[in-house]
């Protein structure tokens, strides 16, 4: 519980101190605008904020952030995104696709779009992620180790993202037992001791 509280505190601090209008800083104490991976990782952090708290404001912010990414980083005639919103420097026009220890900014953006689609129910973000994976497909399976984050994104598309909702007094124990028996990638697990206490519903019936 303490780790969850600390994670939420950090996410809220990022919202307050690292975001300036439609821009996010590359470093919290600096002035340089972030790169594509900074935008994508912040979007993913917002989804974690929702998963941890059930506050739908995180989903609303994530939706706006996805639109922000699409507007700032889009490049004509390709589903891939530029690594930087500033077009004045040529090298920043590069489309960063290959990844390994340092993840590809496009792979991170694709993962964010697909996860946002799962949480928000807006299919257009899944479509954008699918288009990105389709474009890099041949390279992924020819040079797998150099495209590890793309492989993870493709796994999400293949297996899907599912919700597992456990409502019982011993919810955490039951969920642990369930995942030990059958671990499925990309499951979104929700725990509540009573039906009233379950906030992660986005207005869906439980």
């Amino acid at each position: 519980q303490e780790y969850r509280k600390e994670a939420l505190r950090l996410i809220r601090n990022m919202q307050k101190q690292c975001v300036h209008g439609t821009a996010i800083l590359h470093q919290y104490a600096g002035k340089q605008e972030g790169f594509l991976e900074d935008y994508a990782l912040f979007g993913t952090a917002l989804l974690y904020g929702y998963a941890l708290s059930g506050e739908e404001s995180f989903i609303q912010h994530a939706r706006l952030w996805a639109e922000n990414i699409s507007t700032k980083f889009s490049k004509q005639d390709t589903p891939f995104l530029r690594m930087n919103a500033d077009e004045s420097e040529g090298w920043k026009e590069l489309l960063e696709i290959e990844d390994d220890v340092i993840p590809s900014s496009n792979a991170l953006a694709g993962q964010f779009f697909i996860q946002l689609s799962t949480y928000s129910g807006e299919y257009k973000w899944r479509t954008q992620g699918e288009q990105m994976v389709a474009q890099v497909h041949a390279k992924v399976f020819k040079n797998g180790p150099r495209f590890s984050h793309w492989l993870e994104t493709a796994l999400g598309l293949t297996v899907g993202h599912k919700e597992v909702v456990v409502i019982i007094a011993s919810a955490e124990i039951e969920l642990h037992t369930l995942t030990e028996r059958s671990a499925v990638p990309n499951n979104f697990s929700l725990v509540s001791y009573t039906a009233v206490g379950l906030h992660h519903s986005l207005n869906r019936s439980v």
Side-chain angles (χ1 to χ4, degrees):
Q1 190 68 23
E2 291 303 314
Y3 289 129
R4 292 180 183 179
K5 288 180 180 178
E6 182 64 12
L8 269 174
R9 186 187 69 80
L10 289 171
I11 294 168
R12 294 189 202 281
N13 281 343
M14 287 174 64
Q15 287 180 294
K16 292 177 182 177
Q17 299 184 39
C18 297
V19 177
H20 291 258
T22 61
I24 190 167
L25 298 177
H26 182 57
Q27 294 178 323
Y28 123 88
K31 294 182 179 180
Q32 179 186 354
E33 183 176 356
F35 297 99
L36 174 59
E37 61 262 33
D38 298 311
Y39 278 75
L41 288 170
F42 178 67
T44 302
L46 293 172
L47 297 181
Y48 277 118
Y50 166 67
L52 288 166
S53 69
E55 295 177 21
E56 294 184 22
S57 60
F58 282 113
I59 292 291
Q60 293 165 3
H61 194 177
R63 285 191 183 109
L64 293 174
W65 206 249
E67 296 284 0
N68 190 19
I69 290 173
S70 293
T71 301
K72 281 178 175 281
F73 296 93
S74 62
K75 189 171 175 65
Q76 195 172 4
D77 300 326
T78 177
F80 295 126
L81 304 168
R82 298 192 309 269
M83 66 181 296
N84 194 281
D86 183 4
E87 301 181 47
S88 62
E89 296 183 47
W91 70 271
K92 293 178 179 179
E93 277 282 291
L94 290 174
L95 301 178
E96 188 187 27
I97 298 171
E98 291 189 17
D99 68 357
D100 195 0
V101 177
I102 299 175
S104 157
S105 55
N106 271 278
L108 292 175
Q111 288 176 12
F112 168 51
F113 290 149
I114 293 165
Q115 290 173 356
L116 174 60
S117 176
T118 300
Y119 291 172
S120 69
E122 294 178 323
Y123 195 78
K124 68 175 182 178
W125 299 117
R126 178 183 171 89
T127 300
Q128 186 160 347
E130 285 177 336
Q131 290 172 348
M132 296 168 80
V133 171
Q135 286 290 314
V136 81
H137 181 274
K139 292 184 177 181
V140 169
F141 287 93
K142 184 177 180 181
N143 305 291
R146 290 165 56 196
F147 291 86
S148 55
H149 291 83
W150 283 111
L151 286 169
E152 184 179 344
T153 305
L155 178 65
L157 286 170
T158 304
V159 178
H161 294 75
K162 302 176 181 64
E163 290 181 356
V164 176
V165 183
V166 180
I167 305 174
I168 192 172
S170 56
E172 292 188 15
I173 297 172
E174 295 298 329
L175 181 62
H176 179 72
T177 303
L178 177 66
T179 52
E180 270 193 332
R181 281 202 310 266
S182 177
V184 180
N186 303 314
N187 268 1
F188 178 41
S189 302
L190 307 176
V191 167
S192 180
Y193 301 116
T194 65
V196 176
L198 185 67
H199 304 293
H200 309 62
S201 61
L202 285 177
N203 297 319
R204 291 167 291 190
S205 59
V206 176

